Amino acid sequence: MSSKNRSFTDKELAAYEVDRDLAAELLEAVQQMKVSQTHVVLSPAIEARKKTGLSQAQFATLLGVSVRTLQGWEQGRKQPSGAARTLLAIANTNPKAVLAVANK
């Protein structure tokens, strides 16, 4: 059993607690969380789809791609080709135009 996972006796725990500075430990933990903060960046595919208000299935059908392909774009695993990238840019800039085409 590693020392991190071993149980303390009551005496060992009491000795450990005497020297603890909980305020300092909490401050250090908060500082570590701030350092490791990540920023969520929406992909152009997510932004465009959300602006249209369509589901993934609906938006994929509109673009002529599979839901799996759209999910790959949204998760950043894949990048859309030139034509798809242009359609996403149009949907992002003018979602009403894309929706008008979808309703025909």
Side-chain angles (χ1 to χ4, degrees), residues 38-55:
T38 58
H39 294 69
V40 176
V41 177
L42 291 180
S43 75
I46 292 174
E47 289 181 36
R49 182 174 62 80
K50 292 202 181 257
K51 285 183 180 180
T52 64
L54 298 174
S55 68

Side-chain angles (χ1 to χ4, degrees), residues 16-87:
Y16 174 73
E17 291 293 334
V18 167
D19 294 329
R20 284 184 80 182
D21 184 352
L22 288 178
E25 289 178 34
L26 286 171
L27 182 59
E28 181 181 349
V30 168
Q31 289 170 339
Q32 288 175 356
M33 287 188 313
K34 285 183 178 181
V35 167
S36 64
Q37 280 183 347
T38 58
H39 294 69
V40 176
V41 177
L42 291 180
S43 75
I46 292 174
E47 289 181 36
R49 182 174 62 80
K50 292 202 181 257
K51 285 183 180 180
T52 64
L54 298 174
S55 68
Q56 283 185 332
Q58 293 167 323
F59 197 60
T61 299
L62 175 68
L63 296 177
V65 299
S66 70
V67 173
R68 188 176 187 126
T69 296
L70 177 61
Q71 289 170 343
W73 295 344
E74 289 188 353
Q75 295 168 6
R77 291 182 286 115
K78 297 179 182 178
Q79 295 300 314
S81 67
R85 196 171 35 249
T86 300
L87 282 171

